[in-house]
């Protein structure tokens, strides 16, 4: 009905839940289900939006929220099955962490106060939770459209910042998020006795009645219980984060939930009644056994023509590239992403397990978290029991292939089934799926610790496929992570096959032995790459492993064609360097072939060129989710400007101070702070408060003082309002044109200070005129260079290769002129645009600092490498002195153990150069 808002709510709500435990969410996974989005609009089901619109708008909604709030979405996948034409599936899974000492679990006591934090209340979201559980019909568009919440990611970002502060989390006794039920539940669950004043609840607009105030949901509001003596201190902390905070309730001795509106009690219920949990319900289930023959409902692969079968499998909706979808989601923010979504020199090998370092603010860590998922809708349609067993098994196999230890895995399950009725046979699918998941947990000795379900997957007479998705979570060491792209010519390809019983179910003890053996081989360093197989067999998995570095594979002639295109979840293929180690470890395996450098997939007389295979792999969803913009291979000049007179400062400082301002929408301040601290600088972060007029005046005064005390001014990246034009750069530009702040910036420049702006910060520099002019100007001139929307017309998140083409800037004093580096890019409007006159002037003056290039340093307009279509492939420019640098790529998002599956030099040493300039 409203795919953008619904998907945004999916992620906002997923963040909201762990936030109530004061944990910091640092990585997300998105798994969705849809019908075929490549079908023409004319084949749209009556009463439905076209699938192409649904998948695009939902992706835009989820990515908009995640990109704005500053959450790395480490893995994105969409599952296609005709049953999801009934109702789309949208799952958001997140990982959060917190130092144990920061969380107190206390009881609310009479006299404590309840403070409402965050956004204001409106009518959007009333009935949202119950609405999502309704059966939809052709009339749903008219009756249910207003149930979707309108998210506010920048406000939830402020909540994350506030709760991350130990001095704040340490005085929160109890906390709850505003999910289903709004105030009624969020505050109603906090204590046995509560007196809630609905008139104090901040409103988006006038006219809301008591019921609306009591039940409106949102993901950017939290309710906290504070000791009365800590009230003033807590409100002060909230104000420092530019957050509205209002006392709306008191904890009472009497065990009753009381709500007042306009001075009258409109709710007065005893806690004893609320604790009864409503009526007991029961249902009968009749088990429906699967057919003896597998009936996967998908078109079988013909084994006759091997080349045709290979290309057809790669172009299958559930095997083809999802890169154009995935790269809409910021995957690198937080500088903790260990494996980028696509790896290898050419960034074409997809990962199966998202991996991230723990989000420590101070110091370093080598501890990583891993998350994978398992699910096959076709297998589950044949047998929900088998589908659940192999969902669990597949999620384990992916963790093992990633270098994880299966003994530490915990699961969370997401279930999605047709609407239940009095028909006992309809209860068969959820019951048998849960039994399958239970058997797998008992068999492997690994528990699930949570989950979520929905029994609303019905539209008219169409049902979603029986869906139980297994998410597996693990911890490990970054030094033991295995990335899936093939590495070296001559290495062997081996297959590890799980044993099954007469019912085609895993022999759990034998599978555990196999996975333990694989883990030992990984720790011994013999496994160079690994990939968990699925029902589509070896061919697509080997292809994906090869695409990253464009290597070939020669498959042994004793491998039957059936094995290439038919498989079983739980099996793993791997690239190994020493077969003798596997033999010594007694790990059962089979040699399938070897890695070659000829760019061919070879099996007997079959020869498949990797370029042809890649085209088949990428063409299916390209009309829906384009991977690159259609640029040309036109060469762009990249002369390296070498100056003998690089600017030096008159003022030395062993520990220069960096001021990092934060505005609504900013989300890269933590990464920037860590990068400068690692380089040896002191940092200061201040949030610009604009809640009230007096807050603005106070912020201006504080900003001026901070700039006066600093040697470096850093404009960090961020987003605002769905990455609208200018984003939070408009806040930067407005504030920094204030007379006091503008004067302070001028003085910093006059005393040889440095200024750096990255991504959205680059946009701020452009709008202010600091680049290319070197000073803040009254308004951006009509002919000035600017940044605008990417030519692909969507957000881009990937690693970009950039070539250093000038040594004029002190920021690049430690980089090699003419050398190519790779850095994370994540932006919706990073395309540099300027007239020919300006471009010539910038090059002639050495103000073009970096250009987009391919891995070998070749600069062109090819959309594969000039990722946003920038004129002359310009990625970063400076002012005339070189002391003010603006660039798009996030050089702050690097560190030890991140981006392990990315090739090339990743450290431009910009932050070290900035500190060195003053030393």
């Amino acid at each position: 009905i409203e795919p953008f808002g619904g998907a945004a709510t999916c992620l906002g709500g997923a963040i909201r839940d762990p936030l109530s435990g004061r944990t910091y969410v640092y990585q997300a996974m998105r798994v969705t289900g849809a019908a075929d989005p490549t079908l023409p609009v004319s084949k749209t089901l009556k009463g439905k939006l076209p699938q192409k619109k649904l998948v695009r708008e939902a992706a835009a909604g989820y990515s908009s929220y995640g990109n704005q709030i500053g959450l790395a979405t480490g893995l994105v996948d969409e599952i296609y099955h005709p049953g999801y034409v009934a109702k789309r599936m949208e799952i958001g899974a997140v990982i959060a962490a917190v130092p144990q000492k920061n969380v107190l679990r206390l009881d609310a006591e009479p006299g404590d106060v309840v403070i409402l934090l965050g956004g204001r209340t409106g009518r959007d979201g009333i009935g949202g939770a119950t609405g999502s559980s309704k059966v939809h019909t052709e009339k749903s568009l008219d009756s249910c459209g207003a149930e979707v919440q309108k998210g506010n990611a920048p406000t939830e970002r402020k909540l994350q910042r506030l709760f991350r502060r130990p001095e704040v989390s340490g005085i929160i006794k109890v906390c709850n998020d505003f999910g289903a039920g709004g105030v009624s539940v969020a505050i109603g669950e906090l204590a046995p006795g509560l007196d809630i004043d609905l008139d104090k609840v901040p409103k988006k607009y006038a006219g809301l009645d008591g019921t609306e105030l009591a039940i409106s949901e949102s993901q950017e509001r939290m309710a906290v219980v504070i000791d009365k003596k800590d009230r003033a201190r807590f409100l002060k902390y909230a104000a420092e984060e530019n957050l509205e905070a209002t006392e709306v309730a008191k904890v009472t001795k009497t065990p009753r939930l009381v709500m007042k509106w306009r001075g009258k009690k409109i709710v007065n219920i005893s806690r004893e009644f609320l604790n009864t949990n409503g009526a007991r319900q029961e249902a009968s289930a009749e088990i429906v056994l699967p057919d003896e023959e597998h009936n996967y409902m998908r078109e079988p692969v013909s084994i006759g023509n091997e080349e045709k079968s290979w290309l057809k499998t790669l172009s299958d909706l559930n095997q083809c590239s999802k890169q154009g979808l995935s790269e809409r989601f910021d995957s690198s923010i937080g500088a903790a992403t260990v494996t980028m979504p696509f790896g290898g020199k050419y960034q074409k090998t997809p990962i199966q397990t998202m991996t991230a370092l723990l989000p420590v603010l101070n110091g370093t860590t080598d501890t990583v978290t891993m998350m994978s998922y398992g699910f096959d809708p076709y297998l589950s349609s044949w047998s929900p029991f088998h589908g659940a067993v192999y969902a669990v098994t597949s999620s384990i196999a992916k963790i093992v292939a990633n270098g994880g230890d299966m003994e530490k895995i915990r699961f969370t399950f997401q279930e999605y089934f047709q609407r239940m009725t009095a028909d006992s046979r309809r209860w068969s699918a959820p019951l048998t799926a849960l039994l399958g998941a239970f058997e797998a947990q008992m068999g492997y000795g690994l528990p699930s610790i949570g989950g979520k379900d929905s029994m609303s997957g019905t539209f008219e007479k169409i049902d979603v496929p029986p869906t139980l998705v297994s998410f597996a979570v693990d911890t490990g060491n970054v030094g033991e992570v295995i990335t899936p792209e093939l590495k070296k010519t001559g290495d062997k390809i081996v297959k590890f096959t799980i044993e099954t019983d007469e019912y085609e179910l895993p022999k759990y003890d034998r599978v555990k032995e196999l996975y333990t053996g694989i883990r030992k081989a990984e720790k011994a360093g013999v496994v160079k790459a690994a990939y968990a197989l699925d029902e589509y067999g070896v061919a697509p998995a080997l292809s994906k492993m090869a695409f990253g570095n464009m290597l070939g594979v020669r498959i042994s002639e004793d491998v039957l064609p059936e094995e290439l295109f038919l498989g079983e979840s739980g099996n793993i293929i791997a690239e190994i360097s020493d077969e003798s180690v596997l033999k010594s470890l007694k790990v059962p395996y089979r040699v399938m072939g070897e890695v070659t450098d000829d760019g061919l997939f070879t099996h007997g007389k079959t020869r498949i060129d990797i370029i042809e295979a890649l085209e088949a792999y990428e063409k299916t969803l390209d009309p829906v989710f384009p991977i690159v913009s259609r640029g040309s291979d036109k060469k762009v000049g990249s002369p390296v400007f070498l100056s003998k007179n690089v600017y030096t400062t008159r003022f030395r400082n062993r520990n220069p101070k960096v001021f990092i301002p934060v505005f609504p929408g900013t989300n890269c301040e933590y990464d920037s702070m860590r990068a400068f601290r690692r380089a040896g600088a002191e940092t200061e972060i201040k949030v610009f408060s604009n809640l009230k007029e007096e807050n603005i005046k106070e912020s201006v005064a504080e900003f001026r003082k901070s700039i006066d005390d600093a040697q470096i001014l850093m404009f960090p990246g961020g987003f605002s309002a769905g990455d609208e034009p200018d984003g939070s750069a408009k806040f930067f530009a407005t504030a920094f044109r204030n007379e006091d702040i503008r004067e302070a910036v001028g003085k910093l420049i006059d005393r040889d200070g440095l200024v750096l702006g990255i991504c959205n910060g680059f946009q701020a520099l452009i709008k202010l005129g600091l680049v290319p002019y070197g000073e803040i100007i009254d308004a951006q001139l009509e002919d000035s260079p600017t940044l605008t929307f990417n030519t692909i017309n969507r957000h881009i998140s990937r690693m970009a290769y950039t070539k250093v083409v000038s040594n004029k800037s002190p920021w690049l004093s430690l980089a090699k002129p003419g050398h190519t580096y790779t850095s994370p890019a994540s932006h919706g409007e990073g395309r540099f645009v300027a007239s020919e006159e300006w471009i010539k002037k910038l090059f002639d003056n050495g103000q073009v600092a970096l250009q987009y290039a391919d891995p070998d340093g070749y600069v062109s307009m090819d959309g594969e490498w000039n990722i946003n279509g920038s004129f002359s492939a310009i990625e970063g420019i400076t002012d005339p002195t070189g002391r003010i640098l603006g660039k798009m790529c996030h050089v702050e998002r690097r560190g030890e153990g991140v981006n392990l599956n990315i090739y090339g030099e990743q450290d431009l040493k910009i932050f070290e150069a900035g500190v060195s300039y003053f030393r």
Side-chain angles (χ1 to χ4, degrees):
I1 292 173
E2 211 293 271
F4 186 100
T9 295
C10 171
L11 181 59
I15 296 169
R16 179 185 68 203
D17 291 340
L19 187 59
S20 66
R22 275 83 82 200
T23 56
Y24 185 76
V25 177
Y26 60 97
Q27 206 170 35
M29 180 183 292
R30 178 179 184 259
V31 179
T32 54
D36 187 348
T38 66
L39 293 176
V41 174
S42 60
K43 293 191 177 182
T44 302
L45 193 67
K46 185 180 179 183
K48 283 279 182 182
L49 295 171
Q51 288 296 315
K52 182 184 287 188
K53 179 175 177 60
L54 283 170
V55 300
R56 283 177 169 173
E57 291 295 310
Y62 191 108
S63 63
S64 169
Y65 204 96
N67 295 348
Q68 288 182 78
I69 204 169
L71 175 59
T73 304
L75 194 150
V76 176
D77 201 1
E78 188 151 83
I79 299 163
Y80 297 105
H81 186 281
Y84 288 123
V85 76
K87 286 181 76 174
R88 174 179 176 77
M89 178 173 72
E90 188 81 32
I91 299 175
V94 299
I95 297 188
V98 63
Q100 189 176 26
K101 63 183 179 181
N102 287 6
V103 180
L104 302 178
R105 300 186 181 278
L106 305 175
D107 294 323
E109 298 175 349
D112 289 342
V113 298
V114 179
I115 294 175
L116 191 157
L117 274 170
R120 298 188 171 194
T121 299
R123 290 192 176 93
D124 55 295
I126 291 178
T130 53
S132 67
S133 300
K134 292 177 183 175
V135 170
H136 281 179
T137 68
E138 292 180 18
K139 297 179 180 179
S140 295
L141 278 170
D142 300 323
S143 60
C144 303
E147 292 168 349
V148 180
Q149 302 164 26
K150 292 181 180 178
N152 188 333
T155 296
E156 193 167 14
R157 170 73 178 183
K158 297 175 192 177
L159 287 168
Q160 286 186 303
R161 285 180 50 87
L162 179 69
F163 280 29
R164 202 174 189 186
R165 297 170 62 172
E167 67 271 28
V168 174
S169 60
I171 60 175
I172 297 174
K173 300 179 76 172
V174 191
C175 179
N176 217 346
D177 62 277
F178 275 72
V183 167
S184 302
V185 176
I187 299 179
E189 291 179 337
L190 292 174
L194 288 159
D195 190 343
I196 304 170
D197 188 346
L198 294 173
D199 291 317
K200 291 183 179 180
V201 174
K203 298 179 283 292
K204 293 180 180 178
Y205 34 75
L208 275 68
D209 64 26
T211 301
E212 291 169 326
L213 289 168
I215 67 173
S216 178
E217 306 166 20
S218 72
Q219 50 258 24
E220 64 280 346
R221 293 187 295 160
M222 305 294 289
V224 298
V225 176
I226 304 291
D227 191 302
K228 193 174 183 179
K229 67 178 174 55
D230 294 322
R231 177 183 178 278
R233 187 155 52 115
F234 187 87
L235 294 177
K236 174 180 172 290
Y237 292 143
E240 288 174 358
E241 298 296 344
N242 200 25
L243 264 172
E244 282 193 89
T246 309
E247 182 182 330
V248 297
K250 289 183 172 60
V251 180
T252 63
K253 290 182 180 179
T254 307
R256 298 188 73 82
L257 174 62
V258 177
M259 292 190 197
K260 298 174 183 176
W261 179 59
R262 294 184 176 177
K264 295 181 180 180
K265 294 180 181 179
I266 62 171
V267 173
N268 189 347
I269 306 176
S270 73
R271 183 60 55 175
E272 183 180 2
F273 172 74
L274 290 173
N275 289 341
T276 62
N277 294 322
R280 179 178 177 178
Q281 296 184 8
E282 296 179 354
S284 298
E286 179 183 344
I287 302 301
V288 179
L289 296 177
D291 298 331
E292 290 189 15
E293 295 295 326
H294 286 189
N295 179 16
Y296 288 151
M297 293 167 53
R298 66 170 180 248
E299 187 178 352
V301 176
S302 171
I303 306 301
N305 186 322
E306 207 168 293
E307 180 179 352
K308 184 177 179 181
S309 298
W310 195 297
L311 299 179
K312 182 178 179 181
T313 302
L314 283 175
S315 63
D316 185 280
L317 275 171
N318 284 312
Q319 289 297 315
C320 69
S321 176
K322 312 286 173 55
Q323 190 169 354
L325 167 62
S326 177
E327 289 185 350
R328 295 165 181 252
F329 301 79
D330 190 341
S331 56
S332 60
I333 192 165
T337 301
V338 174
T339 50
M340 290 291 285
F342 297 87
K345 180 179 179 180
Y346 300 98
Q347 297 179 59
K348 295 296 181 184
T349 295
I351 61 171
Q352 295 180 304
T353 299
M354 72 177 194
T355 310
L357 294 164
L358 284 176
V360 295
L361 268 179
N362 300 305
T364 59
T365 180
D366 58 7
T367 300
V368 300
T369 51
M370 305 176 184
M371 178 183 273
S372 67
Y373 89 90
F375 173 61
D376 182 338
Y378 289 96
L379 178 61
S380 294
S381 295
W382 171 70
S383 168
F385 185 91
H386 286 76
V389 167
Y390 281 101
V392 172
T393 304
S394 175
S395 64
I396 297 172
K398 291 174 181 177
I399 293 282
V400 172
N402 195 61
D405 181 356
M406 75 168 289
E407 295 297 326
K408 296 186 294 182
I409 288 175
R410 299 294 180 265
F411 304 105
T412 179
F413 299 140
Q414 297 258 329
E415 299 132 43
Y416 191 32
F417 295 96
Q418 69 269 27
R419 182 69 171 178
M420 295 297 115
T421 67
D423 183 355
S424 60
R425 292 173 64 88
R426 288 181 72 84
W427 284 94
S428 175
L431 177 57
T432 53
L434 289 170
L435 287 173
F438 179 72
E439 167 161 308
Q441 289 176 83
M442 297 302 289
Y444 292 122
L446 302 172
S448 63
I449 58 171
K452 206 150 189 162
D453 68 88
S454 178
M455 303 272 188
S456 65
T458 297
F459 177 83
E460 301 291 357
K461 296 182 179 180
I462 307 173
D463 297 328
V464 297
T467 302
L468 187 148
V469 182
S470 171
F471 290 90
V473 183
D474 201 0
T475 59
N477 186 285
V478 70
E480 297 176 358
V481 172
I482 306 293
T483 61
E485 72 283 355
L486 296 180
K487 309 290 195 305
K488 185 181 177 183
T489 300
D491 281 351
K492 291 283 195 301
I493 301 293
V494 300
K495 181 181 178 184
F496 303 103
T497 303
I498 65 172
E499 291 187 34
T500 57
D501 62 18
E502 59 184 310
Y503 303 107
E504 299 187 50
L505 294 170
K507 292 183 178 179
Y508 299 106
D509 288 341
R510 298 291 291 165
V511 175
K512 287 167 66 176
E513 289 177 13
L514 176 65
Y515 287 169
T516 301
I518 295 172
R519 168 75 170 155
K520 290 179 180 177
E522 290 171 339
K523 295 185 78 169
V526 68
V527 177
K528 301 304 180 184
Y531 215 77
L533 299 179
D534 56 24
E535 301 285 339
Y536 289 80
V538 170
L542 275 179
S543 300
K544 294 170 190 178
M545 296 175 75
F547 288 148
N549 289 319
M550 298 302 281
L551 293 170
V553 178
R554 184 179 298 111
I555 300 170
S556 302
E557 292 195 24
D558 63 341
V559 175
L560 297 175
E562 289 82 2
E563 296 179 77
L564 296 177
F565 308 111
L566 298 174
E568 198 168 67
S569 293
N571 297 336
I572 295 173
I573 55 171
E575 173 190 1
I576 63 165
S577 57
D578 189 348
E579 197 176 342
S580 64
V581 174
L582 289 183
K583 292 178 179 178
S584 67
L585 292 172
K586 298 181 180 179
V587 183
Y589 70 94
R590 179 186 175 193
V591 175
M592 301 290 286
E594 65 177 357
V595 182
T596 65
D597 61 359
D598 57 9
L600 294 173
F601 299 125
T602 307
H603 182 224
K605 295 181 179 180
T606 300
R607 300 283 189 277
I608 302 169
D609 186 271
I610 194 169
I611 299 296
E612 184 181 5
L614 182 61
E615 289 175 352
Y617 175 61
E618 294 186 337
K619 72 178 182 181
T620 304
L621 283 174
D622 195 64
V624 182
F625 298 115
I627 296 174
V628 298
S629 59
R630 299 301 174 215
S632 69
D633 196 34
K634 179 182 177 183
K635 186 176 181 181
V636 172
S638 57
V640 178
F641 184 95
L642 297 174
S643 174
K644 295 180 181 179
N645 301 309
V646 178
Y647 201 100
T648 57
T649 180
R650 299 160 289 169
F651 307 99
R652 300 296 174 183
N653 193 312
R654 291 295 302 170
N655 300 105
K657 187 174 182 180
V658 183
F659 175 53
I660 304 173
V662 172
F663 289 88
T666 299
N667 60 27
C668 295
E669 66 274 22
Y670 291 131
D671 300 347
S672 303
M673 176 192 72
R674 280 198 299 264
F676 272 116
R677 285 183 178 176
R678 188 168 55 235
E682 296 180 12
T683 59
E684 181 183 28
I685 295 176
K686 278 198 184 307
V687 177
F688 193 92
S689 179
N690 63 349
L691 293 177
K692 300 176 182 177
E693 186 176 350
E694 56 264 32
N695 298 142
I696 295 174
K697 292 178 180 178
E698 291 167 359
S699 291
V700 167
E702 290 178 0
F703 271 40
R704 174 165 187 159
K705 184 180 184 304
S706 295
I707 296 170
D708 286 341
D709 292 342
Q711 287 75 47
I712 299 174
L713 175 61
M714 163 72 186
F715 289 158
F719 298 90
S720 179
D723 196 18
E724 66 179 67
D726 305 335
S728 59
K730 62 188 176 187
F731 291 107
F732 277 110
T734 301
F736 274 77
R737 283 198 175 97
N738 171 275
E739 187 176 340
D740 287 349
I741 297 180
R742 180 174 181 171
E743 182 181 354
V745 174
K747 288 181 178 179
L748 180 142
I749 294 171
D750 289 343
R751 61 176 183 269
D752 295 346
L754 298 180
V755 182
L756 176 65
I758 295 177
C759 197
N760 204 237
F762 183 15
Q763 294 172 342
L765 295 181
I766 285 272
K767 294 195 76 64
L768 287 168
L770 285 167
V771 291
Y773 301 106
E775 61 180 348
I776 295 177
I777 59 178
D778 292 332
Q780 194 172 8
L781 303 179
E782 191 172 321
D783 69 336
S784 296
T786 192
L787 294 164
T788 188
F789 293 108
N790 305 334
T791 51
I792 200 170
N793 199 31
R794 65 162 168 85
H795 186 91
I796 291 173
S797 177
R798 62 171 303 169
M799 299 294 287
Y801 290 96
T802 56
K803 183 177 181 180
V804 178
V805 293
S806 174
N807 73 335
K808 189 172 186 175
S809 175
W811 289 108
L812 296 173
S813 63
L814 299 180
K816 301 174 186 176
H819 196 70
T820 301
Y821 297 81
T822 179
S823 303
S826 185
H827 54 261
E829 47 169 329
R831 185 187 186 203
F832 183 86
V833 174
S835 65
E836 290 183 10
E837 292 79 10
W838 258 113
I839 290 175
K840 183 178 186 304
K841 180 180 177 180
L842 292 172
F843 272 109
D844 290 346
N845 200 30
Q847 287 181 249
V848 176
L850 302 111
Q851 290 176 279
Y852 297 105
D854 71 7
D856 300 315
Y858 181 86
V859 179
S860 74
M861 294 303 292
D862 185 352
E864 184 76 47
W865 310 113
N866 184 357
I867 58 174
N868 49 39
S870 288
F871 285 21
S872 295
I874 293 173
E875 187 266 347
I877 64 172
T878 71
D879 75 317
T881 71
R883 289 181 295 133
I884 305 174
L885 171 65
K887 66 188 310 296
M888 285 310 300
C889 292
H890 290 277
V891 286
E892 77 277 19
R893 299 181 184 180
R894 62 154 301 276
E896 293 298 319
V898 303
N899 311 328
L900 293 185
N901 56 340
I902 299 299
Y903 291 60
E905 175 59 54
Q906 296 184 38
D907 192 2
L908 268 165
K909 298 187 183 300
I910 277 181
F911 303 96
E912 291 79 2
V915 173
S916 176
Y917 168 81
F918 290 100
R919 290 178 175 175

